[in-house]
Amino acid sequence: MNQSNIETLIDAGKKRKADFVEIYEEESRNSSISLRDQKIEQSLAATDYGIGIRLVYGTDVLYAYTSNDDQQHLLSLIHLLADSRGEVANGSGTFTLPGDVSKYSFSKNIHDPRKVPPFRRLELLQTADSVARKVSSKIIQVGVSASDIVTNVLIANSEGLWVEDLRVRSRFFLSVTAENKGERFVASESPGALKGFEFFEGLAVEDIAQKAGERALFMLDAGYIEGKKMPVVMGNGFGGVIFHEACGHPLETEAIRKKSSPFVGKLGESIAQSCLTAYDDGTIEEQYGSLKVDDEGMPTQKTLLIENGILKAYLADRIGSMETGSARTGSGRRESYQYAPVSRMRNTYIEAGKDSLDEMFASVDFGLYAKRMGGGSVNPATGEFNFAVEEGYVIRNGKISEPVRGATLIGKGHEILPKISMVGKDLELAAGTCGASSGSIPVTVGQPSLKVDEILVGGR
Amino acid sequence: MDLEQAAGFVLEEGKRYGIDSFDLIATDSEDIGIEVFKGRIVSTETSRSRGVGIRVLNNSRPGYSYSERFSKEALSQMVRDAMDQTEITDPLDMELPGPKPLAEVDLKHYNPALEKLDFAWMREQGLALDQASWESDKRVENVPHVGVGKSSTQSLIANSKGVFVKKESNVAYLGTGLVVAEGDIKKMGSYYRSGRDISQFDPSYIAKEAAYRGTELLGAKPLSSGVYTIVLGNRISPQIFGMFSSPYFADAVQKGSSRLVGKLGNEVASSALSIYCEAHTPDYPGSRLVDAEGIPTSARTKVLENGILKSYLYNLESAKKDNVLPTGHGVRSYSGRAGTSFSNMIVPLGNKTRDELLASDSHCILVTKLEGGAGCSAVSGEISIGVQGIYYKNGKPEHAVDRITMNTNYFDLLHKIQGISNEYSDSYSSIKVPDILISEIHVAG
């Protein structure tokens, strides 16, 4: 979209008395290739395109989106939105964007995936498939895919902001199914980064496939843990999904502004033990959830959420900031032009602590070592969460014992936080996809190994 | 370009490039909606999204692409992109169908009256529902979610053999999600009505139902761990059965992702259970006369009958692989590859009331809420999930329960079904499952 068209649209919104007008244009080139049953299941290259228009009156948000860039159509959407409030036009002057566009590109030396022929990705998939199948004849299926997306974003607003950002992300996904006498177990891996094809070139595909195959095989024969409350040692890396869901979402101003979080009014208060410090950081180089600017055009930052157990900040977008009084943190995010931005996490993690994994095990007579988590979810309003354990072990008399499958962790985030009593030294981050009101977005979760003194473990 | 013009242009481009065989899916949808919070319209949204996706078969090699731009340049690029993919893909043994007559059934997926619903109507309904939600029970502490909206969609399926089917549908919704509190305990209750009959959109009724769903769980206590008889309430039994629909898909069976491999004709469930796919029921959201690959659908496909596995669901590719006729269960969005799905998944009604099911054991848990689905795997059948509900003793409700988990395996659960109620929930859903009585389920508390 050119400058003149943008200015005309912003002017139209201002004439309909909007306090704030924002234009968001996005074009994505995405490609993916997937292999299953040792055949290419899909090879795709495609284009997504659309424009989002946001009018803000006070803190009321009016949003329109379309994949039709005809200027008259875009103007009609602005008038449709304003009509919905009964706002009549006034005669203010023509809007002009001051200054030059700010252009960002997070990765300066990307290997542009658009210039990589599909067979280069196919080689990776075939390698992963071959390695995983060689682990055992009990490996009956391997699904593997490689995808990348190159997104050009333009954000302009009535405050004179005009930003363009180039974002390149890549992701690898592998699932391995093992079978024995009708029983099946699926192990999966899904690393990702804010990088181009160099991400795949540097990926230890053989190692990833080998470990996933071994885990599927190992867990296939695992029994079940007896369900009850017990101490849980949580593994590092993707274990951070529990903090992301149970504590991160309730710290977003999208929940705070609707009084729909157990952390409303708790700033400055102790919500965890002093061993726990947590951040949400959008600036980490090449991490999957990183951004140079958020989807409102604000540079991202490293936000201290909890310091030594004390709640320090919420994650705020423009509207959340206005309604809660919290400073904006560069956390306005959306899946695409099809969503208005709201406060969302970026790379969320618990900082490394002082304890060793062995010390944590030694402190447990009987409990669960949740080495790898599956997915999970939370109801921010009540704090109730539910997480699946993909790889778990019984801890007995301070030692790791037999593997267990099918375990689930449930509880309330704000009640679990104070029960985190030990924090390990082994911080690790892992890529994920987070779904909430502004769609599914790339994020990173992470933590060192943790000990939770008591949590309800589902089993049989 | 409108939808038909875009589809026509892509069909011509396909011919111009000499592609052997190809099909396309195109959709164009318009949505408007509002959200209300504390008597204010805090969010208003309108959208128009459209896209066209092509699948080409060039020398039997498939390639996919799609575009959300409807310019000639973008659509032509899309066709070339799809052709480029065929250079690396493996051959696919599949033939696209030619046009066939479709059943003459009015599916009632379009109500012209909905097109007249505007923001003024939404404002009136939303504000009324917000107020009714706050007034629905004295224990209502917050009403974070009140939404009203409608959407209209045109979709089109076409292929190089002459299939060209266009469909128009619309739907509206009105709903609330509220938080009720008693002491330190908070519970959420939600209730949405959707469909094309807006006479059912009574804000007062919707608010009271949402409040009931929250307040019935106040005062909840955990139960001690053990083995219990449970009743999956008809609000959540569709969630469980929906999560485990893929084991019935032929492609999942063929690719090792289903434990139902080799079970056709075998007893895989209690004789109390049947599962049908019904595609021609008027006003059901999943109903369709033709699937996403141009195959006419059947009014009823018997998948499971009296516990016996009768049929898998097939799309073009999986049918060719098993050398059977496709059953009309291909699905595809313009941006995705072809898959398989139920149209409407129907578990026929039983002949007992829910109360009769709950009285069948001296200790019974009525499960009314699931805590997410992360502990469920359609491949392994694993179910390990937090649940909430009501504990019944000798057929009488004792107290609400929470902080418990239900642990079982779907394929074991099918054999443990002891009874099915005579009532579906009133949700506008393509999955209809009554209350289900199941014995011997591990519960941790």
Side-chain angles (χ1 to χ4, degrees):
Chain A
M1 205 182 297
N2 64 37
Q3 181 172 346
S4 171
N5 285 355
I6 295 169
E7 288 171 340
T8 301
L9 294 174
I10 293 176
D11 190 53
K14 294 294 288 181
K15 281 180 177 164
R16 299 300 298 263
K17 299 182 184 174
D19 298 316
F20 175 79
V21 184
E22 178 188 74
I23 309 298
Y24 180 89
E25 184 185 34
E26 179 185 72
E27 180 156 358
S28 296
R29 180 77 177 161
N30 62 65
S31 66
S32 67
I33 181 166
S34 58
L35 191 79
R36 183 178 292 272
D37 227 14
Q38 297 180 297
K39 287 185 178 173
I40 297 174
E41 191 168 49
Q42 175 170 281
S43 181
L44 177 142
T47 304
D48 295 291
Y49 175 78
I51 295 162
I53 299 170
R54 185 163 60 145
L55 309 184
V56 179
Y57 295 82
T59 57
D60 295 352
V61 175
L62 285 69
Y63 192 71
Y65 69 83
T66 178
S67 44
N68 181 352
D69 64 353
D70 177 76
Q71 184 77 350
Q72 289 307 312
H73 171 62
L74 297 171
L75 284 168
S76 74
L77 291 176
I78 289 173
H79 294 309
L80 179 65
L81 289 175
D83 288 347
S84 75
R85 283 179 62 91
E87 299 286 356
V88 296
N90 63 16
S92 69
T94 303
F95 179 81
T96 305
L97 280 167
D100 295 327
V101 58
S102 301
K103 292 192 177 183
Y104 295 100
S105 176
F106 200 98
S107 303
K108 294 184 178 63
N109 300 308
I110 60 163
H111 186 169
D112 192 336
R114 293 170 295 188
K115 297 174 182 169
V116 178
F119 73 85
R120 294 281 307 278
R121 298 177 182 86
L122 180 58
E123 290 168 359
L124 290 166
L125 309 192
Q126 288 169 334
T127 300
D129 180 273
S130 171
V131 170
R133 286 180 188 274
K134 282 179 185 166
V135 170
S136 167
S137 59
K138 291 179 182 173
I139 304 296
I140 59 162
Q141 188 55 275
V142 178
V144 57
S145 66
S147 61
D148 50 67
I149 183 164
V150 179
T151 306
N152 275 292
V153 169
L154 181 157
I155 308 163
N157 70 32
S158 55
E159 293 172 348
L161 179 89
W162 183 9
V163 168
E164 290 181 20
D165 192 13
L166 174 66
R167 301 162 179 177
V168 185
R169 285 192 174 85
S170 300
R171 193 141 194 219
F172 182 79
F173 179 80
L174 170 75
S175 71
V176 182
T177 305
E179 191 269 344
N180 187 27
K181 296 176 185 170
E183 288 282 327
R184 279 170 165 76
F185 190 87
V186 184
S188 60
E189 294 278 352
S190 51
L194 187 71
K195 295 171 81 172
F197 194 71
E198 71 275 17
F199 165 73
F200 295 113
E201 291 171 318
L203 199 62
V205 170
E206 289 96 339
D207 188 45
I208 291 169
Q210 180 75 24
K211 285 181 176 168
E214 289 172 353
R215 192 164 73 251
L217 199 64
F218 187 55
M219 296 307 295
L220 183 64
D221 297 324
Y224 295 93
I225 195 165
E226 182 188 351
K228 60 182 178 181
K229 288 179 181 171
M230 63 183 78
V232 173
V233 175
M234 300 188 60
N236 63 355
F238 198 66
V241 70
I242 198 163
F243 182 80
H244 170 101
E245 295 285 2
C247 305
H249 279 300
L251 292 176
E252 295 163 343
T253 50
E254 186 59 12
I256 300 294
R257 76 187 181 105
K258 289 187 171 179
K259 315 284 187 221
S260 186
S261 163
F263 298 116
V264 171
K266 301 281 187 186
L267 282 178
E269 293 186 18
S270 173
I271 60 170
Q273 295 189 39
S274 60
C275 60
L276 193 136
T277 293
Y279 290 93
D280 183 84
D281 185 355
T283 69
I284 309 173
E285 193 80 12
E286 298 179 347
Q287 283 295 332
Y288 198 51
S290 294
L291 290 159
K292 196 72 175 176
V293 291
D294 73 0
D295 294 325
E296 297 182 312
M298 180 182 178
T300 54
Q301 60 170 234
K302 180 176 181 177
T303 309
L304 175 62
L305 297 174
I306 300 169
E307 185 176 39
N308 300 327
I310 307 297
L311 181 59
K312 290 291 186 180
Y314 301 127
L315 293 170
D317 63 330
R318 173 180 290 273
I319 302 300
S321 170
M322 292 166 72
E323 290 207 340
T324 66
S326 300
R328 286 173 69 190
T329 53
S331 303
R333 300 192 66 188
R334 49 181 140 192
E335 177 181 330
S336 71
Y337 69 89
Q338 297 189 358
Y339 298 86
V342 299
S343 55
R344 301 285 295 273
M345 285 173 276
R346 300 155 303 194
N347 306 302
T348 316
Y349 62 92
I350 294 173
E351 192 176 51
K354 299 173 182 170
D355 302 302
S356 73
L357 196 53
D358 285 342
E359 288 169 337
M360 293 181 208
F361 293 146
S363 70
V364 177
D365 289 334
F366 181 87
L368 174 71
Y369 175 35
K371 186 176 181 182
R372 281 186 63 88
M373 302 299 295
S377 62
V378 66
N379 180 340
T382 61
E384 293 162 329
F385 65 72
N386 181 85
F387 293 92
V389 179
E390 185 176 304
E391 181 180 1
Y393 300 84
V394 171
I395 306 170
R396 193 173 277 114
N397 301 321
K399 305 281 186 193
I400 291 186
S401 185
E402 70 273 17
V404 285
R405 61 188 292 191
T408 301
L409 309 181
I410 70 165
K412 296 182 180 179
H414 57 291
E415 292 177 359
I416 292 300
L417 267 185
K419 293 178 181 172
I420 297 174
S421 60
M422 299 175 82
V423 179
K425 304 168 187 172
D426 52 351
L427 170 63
E428 187 176 293
L429 303 178
T433 299
C434 168
S437 63
S438 63
S440 295
I441 58 172
V443 297
T444 299
V445 301
Q447 67 177 35
S449 302
L450 300 175
K451 182 194 169 190
V452 187
D453 291 337
E454 184 182 86
I455 194 165
L456 176 60
V457 176
R460 34 175 130 159
Chain B
M1 260 193 246
D2 66 18
L3 198 69
E4 285 190 54
Q5 289 167 333
F9 179 79
V10 173
L11 288 169
E12 287 302 316
E13 283 293 279
K15 284 181 198 163
R16 189 166 74 85
Y17 283 111
I19 303 171
D20 302 339
S21 182
F22 62 97
D23 63 2
L24 65 89
I25 289 279
T27 58
D28 189 345
S29 62
E30 289 190 58
D31 300 78
I32 61 172
I34 63 166
E35 287 180 31
V36 182
F37 182 60
K38 289 189 173 175
R40 277 174 46 216
I41 315 294
V42 294
S43 169
T44 302
E45 187 163 308
T46 180
S47 68
R48 181 166 186 192
S49 53
R50 58 188 191 176
V52 57
I54 187 171
R55 170 175 63 177
V56 308
L57 291 166
N58 218 15
N59 296 320
S60 297
R61 294 177 183 275
Y64 291 82
S65 186
Y66 68 87
S67 177
E68 294 181 345
R69 278 190 185 271
F70 274 19
S71 66
K72 289 182 178 178
E73 296 76 20
L75 294 176
S76 189
Q77 176 67 44
M78 176 190 77
V79 177
R80 289 196 300 276
D81 283 342
M83 287 177 67
D84 287 346
Q85 307 305 316
T86 66
E87 292 175 12
I88 63 160
T89 53
D90 294 311
L92 190 60
D93 187 12
M94 192 184 90
E95 281 179 29
L96 297 179
K100 292 191 176 66
L102 306 181
E104 293 184 5
V105 181
D106 179 4
L107 297 180
K108 300 190 185 303
H109 278 185
Y110 185 77
N111 178 1
L114 295 192
E115 298 306 309
K116 296 173 187 162
L117 302 180
D118 56 11
F119 280 116
W121 175 81
M122 290 180 193
R123 188 184 302 119
E124 181 186 342
Q125 295 293 314
L127 291 172
L129 180 56
D130 181 61
Q131 184 177 349
S133 298
W134 284 100
E135 293 171 354
S136 59
D137 191 284
K138 62 185 179 195
R139 293 163 289 182
V140 171
E141 181 193 78
N142 195 8
V143 185
H145 307 293
V146 170
V148 195
K150 67 162 188 173
S151 68
S152 305
T153 303
Q154 292 182 337
S155 58
L156 196 153
I157 300 157
N159 73 21
S160 54
K161 289 202 170 165
V163 168
F164 196 96
V165 181
K166 193 177 170 190
K167 179 184 168 185
E168 195 167 26
S169 64
N170 59 11
V171 69
Y173 64 88
L174 172 66
T176 182
L178 49 82
V179 178
V180 295
E182 202 166 63
D184 292 336
I185 304 299
K186 296 178 196 288
K187 293 291 175 188
M188 189 142 199
S190 299
Y191 186 60
Y192 274 71
R193 295 304 294 257
S194 57
R196 280 164 286 272
D197 180 4
I198 60 169
S199 69
Q200 299 289 316
F201 289 18
D202 175 1
S204 175
Y205 176 79
I206 292 169
K208 284 193 183 309
E209 180 64 21
Y212 170 73
R213 292 181 179 200
T215 54
E216 72 169 349
L217 295 171
L218 287 172
K221 298 186 270 191
L223 289 173
S224 55
S225 299
V227 176
Y228 289 82
T229 295
I230 67 168
V231 171
L232 297 176
N234 60 23
R235 280 185 240 149
I236 61 103
S237 55
Q239 293 179 47
I240 294 283
F241 276 68
M243 282 191 272
F244 291 92
S245 61
S246 66
Y248 301 100
F249 303 164
D251 50 4
V253 173
Q254 291 165 356
K255 292 175 180 174
S257 300
S258 169
R259 283 183 45 168
L260 296 177
V261 60
K263 302 280 188 184
L264 273 183
N266 291 5
E267 185 179 298
V268 299
S270 154
S271 60
L273 182 70
S274 296
I275 300 176
Y276 301 145
C277 178
E278 298 183 356
H280 296 174
T281 311
D283 205 25
Y284 273 24
S287 295
R288 49 187 176 162
L289 299 179
V290 60
D291 78 357
E293 296 182 300
I295 300 293
T297 56
S298 302
R300 172 178 285 182
T301 305
K302 293 179 179 177
V303 178
L304 192 67
E305 190 161 57
N306 301 327
I308 308 296
L309 184 63
K310 294 287 189 181
S311 174
Y312 303 125
L313 301 183
Y314 287 94
N315 60 18
L316 283 176
E317 183 183 345
S318 58
K320 187 76 176 177
K321 203 168 184 177
D322 275 4
N323 200 25
V324 298
L325 292 173
T327 55
H329 291 94
V331 289
R332 189 180 157 211
S333 69
Y334 68 77
S335 60
R337 69 181 296 275
T340 313
S341 176
F342 278 84
S343 301
N344 299 297
M345 178 195 269
I346 309 295
V347 171
L349 293 170
N351 53 16
K352 290 191 174 178
T353 65
R354 174 191 283 185
D355 284 344
E356 287 172 331
L357 296 183
L358 288 163
S360 63
D361 196 324
S362 55
H363 299 272
C364 199
I365 304 168
L366 171 64
V367 179
T368 61
K369 193 168 188 179
L370 301 179
E371 311 265 22
C376 299
S377 164
V379 177
S380 67
E382 207 69 63
I383 297 176
S384 182
I385 190 169
V387 299
Q388 300 185 33
I390 312 292
Y391 172 61
Y392 279 72
K393 192 172 178 182
N394 298 320
K396 303 289 180 194
E398 282 278 303
H399 58 80
V401 289
D402 65 1
R403 287 165 286 168
I404 61 171
T405 69
M406 175 174 82
N407 300 83
T408 184
N409 186 289
Y410 172 75
F411 300 99
D412 297 336
L413 175 151
L414 291 180
H415 290 286
K416 294 177 180 176
I417 292 173
Q418 302 292 315
I420 294 176
S421 85
N422 58 4
E423 190 176 10
Y424 297 125
S425 80
D426 62 358
S427 65
Y428 181 69
S429 169
S430 61
I431 306 176
K432 292 289 186 187
V433 185
D435 309 273
I436 304 279
L437 173 70
I438 308 164
S439 62
E440 297 176 9
I441 296 294
H442 289 268
V443 169

